[in-house]
Amino acid sequence: MATEEKKGGLWETIKTIVYALLIAGVFRTLLFQPFWIPSGSMKDTLLIGDFLFVNKMAYGYSYASCPSVIIPSVGINVDAQDLCGWADGDNARLFGGEPQRGDVVVFRHPVSGRDFIKRLIGLPGERIQMRNGVLHIDGQPVEVTPDGTFEELAAPQGPQGLRPRCANGTVGDGATCHKEKLIETLPGGVSHSILNISMQGSDNTPVYTVPEGHYFFMGDNRDNSSDSRVPSIANGVGFVPYENLIGRADRVMFSSAGRSMLYFWTWRSDRFFEKIE
């Protein structure tokens, strides 16, 4: 009798785990996807260690809405393409909604399939160019106004131990790293912060004409971002197909300044439920 009860209890535990995984899978596929910011390409809008949920209902659903489970340390590499590749190829979405210029969007990289987060800058059919560090859309410069200086500690950041680049040169650990901060106002009125480190190649680009059904993305940390200014075949992002959009990032839930989100003593008290502008 005791053996039967033990088997029954084990079976109930297994069922509970399976149901919990199914519910979590549906939640992540249809509603919200967790995302932890791994790099500084979106500073100072998003910091390394910010934890947020991506609104997957904002743009409808495509093959990219299926979750990817990638845990290299234990050899798990289940890609959205593996689960929902049958829905790939038509650049369409179910219950599709149009993204708006200025949205902060999580999308699948067109080549690697990895999740990226950048700001939507260029819409289909538009001509995008950087001239002397100023964004031009269809030949017109956007409005840019100075907004002081962004400061951070010059030290390894996040689980990858990434060091920030500084406008005040190479500084040692513990020193203050400076970047020029500006407010950029896009056509349509969306204003957001961007950072400038120095004049470099990505500040002067050719004219990029965004194909139909695609979008052009850039990081807010303009001199430290791999984005649509570089073709995807050259380790950039290039133009992103509509079907590769995963969702919109609306709010930071919490933020960890340490090597792990579990190090609660390193959580940034000023970033709880911070609205993403």
Side-chain angles (χ1 to χ4, degrees):
M1 191 63 148
T3 301
E4 291 181 359
E5 289 180 355
K6 184 178 293 186
K7 288 182 178 179
L10 177 61
W11 176 240
E12 288 301 319
T13 300
I14 292 174
K15 287 198 298 184
T16 299
I17 293 173
V18 170
Y19 290 152
L21 290 174
L22 287 173
I23 292 171
V26 170
F27 180 87
R28 180 169 176 174
T29 300
L30 299 180
L31 302 178
F32 298 95
Q33 175 176 315
F35 193 87
W36 194 32
I37 303 300
S39 73
S41 68
M42 282 295 293
K43 291 177 182 177
D44 65 333
T45 303
L46 296 171
L47 305 180
I48 295 176
D50 281 354
F51 181 83
L52 49 91
F53 282 102
V54 179
N55 180 359
K56 302 182 85 166
M57 298 175 285
Y59 310 133
Y61 306 98
S62 71
Y63 87 97
S65 301
C66 283
S68 297
V69 182
I70 302 173
I71 310 176
S73 60
V74 294
I76 295 177
N77 188 358
V78 180
D79 188 77
Q81 188 76 40
D82 300 326
L83 298 174
C84 297
W86 54 270
D88 185 14
D90 59 0
N91 203 23
R93 308 183 71 86
L94 182 65
F95 309 122
E98 292 297 326
Q100 303 298 309
R101 191 196 318 274
D103 286 356
V104 176
V105 180
V106 172
F107 57 87
R108 281 175 53 84
H109 188 282
V111 174
S112 71
R114 299 288 178 158
D115 292 351
F116 271 54
I117 185 166
K118 305 289 180 183
R119 189 177 297 275
L120 175 54
I121 297 297
L123 303 176
E126 292 183 334
R127 292 175 291 111
I128 309 298
Q129 185 180 27
M130 294 293 292
R131 300 182 196 169
N132 296 319
V134 177
L135 171 66
H136 287 64
I137 300 178
D138 287 337
Q140 299 299 313
V142 302
E143 180 185 344
V144 179
T145 57
D147 191 39
T149 302
F150 173 73
E151 297 182 353
E152 60 183 335
L153 190 67
Q157 300 177 358
Q160 301 178 54
L162 300 177
R163 293 187 57 85
R165 291 179 57 209
C166 311
N168 53 325
T170 303
V171 297
D173 281 352
T176 301
C177 177
H178 297 278
K179 295 179 179 66
E180 181 186 12
K181 184 177 177 182
L182 307 105
I183 298 297
E184 180 178 82
T185 301
L186 300 172
V190 174
S191 295
H192 61 99
S193 174
I194 60 172
L195 300 181
N196 177 60
I197 301 172
S198 63
M199 189 61 66
Q200 58 186 44
S202 57
D203 289 318
N204 288 281
T205 71
V207 176
Y208 303 100
T209 300
V210 186
E212 288 301 317
H214 291 71
Y215 297 90
F216 193 97
F217 289 91
M218 293 175 65
D220 290 349
N221 191 0
R222 290 287 165 82
D223 293 337
N224 197 47
S225 174
S226 175
D227 50 39
S228 292
R229 289 171 289 179
V230 178
S232 56
I233 58 174
N235 297 320
V237 170
F239 304 120
V240 178
Y242 180 46
E243 66 181 351
N244 281 39
L245 307 186
I246 295 175
R248 185 181 64 222
D250 294 327
R251 193 173 295 274
V252 174
M253 304 308 293
F254 68 90
S255 181
S256 172
R259 298 295 298 271
S260 168
M261 71 173 70
L262 301 179
Y263 295 172
F264 62 88
W265 57 90
T266 67
W267 288 4
R268 302 176 175 105
S269 60
D270 60 336
R271 294 189 69 77
F272 285 102
F273 309 112
E274 181 81 7
K275 182 176 173 55
I276 298 173
E277 302 287 354

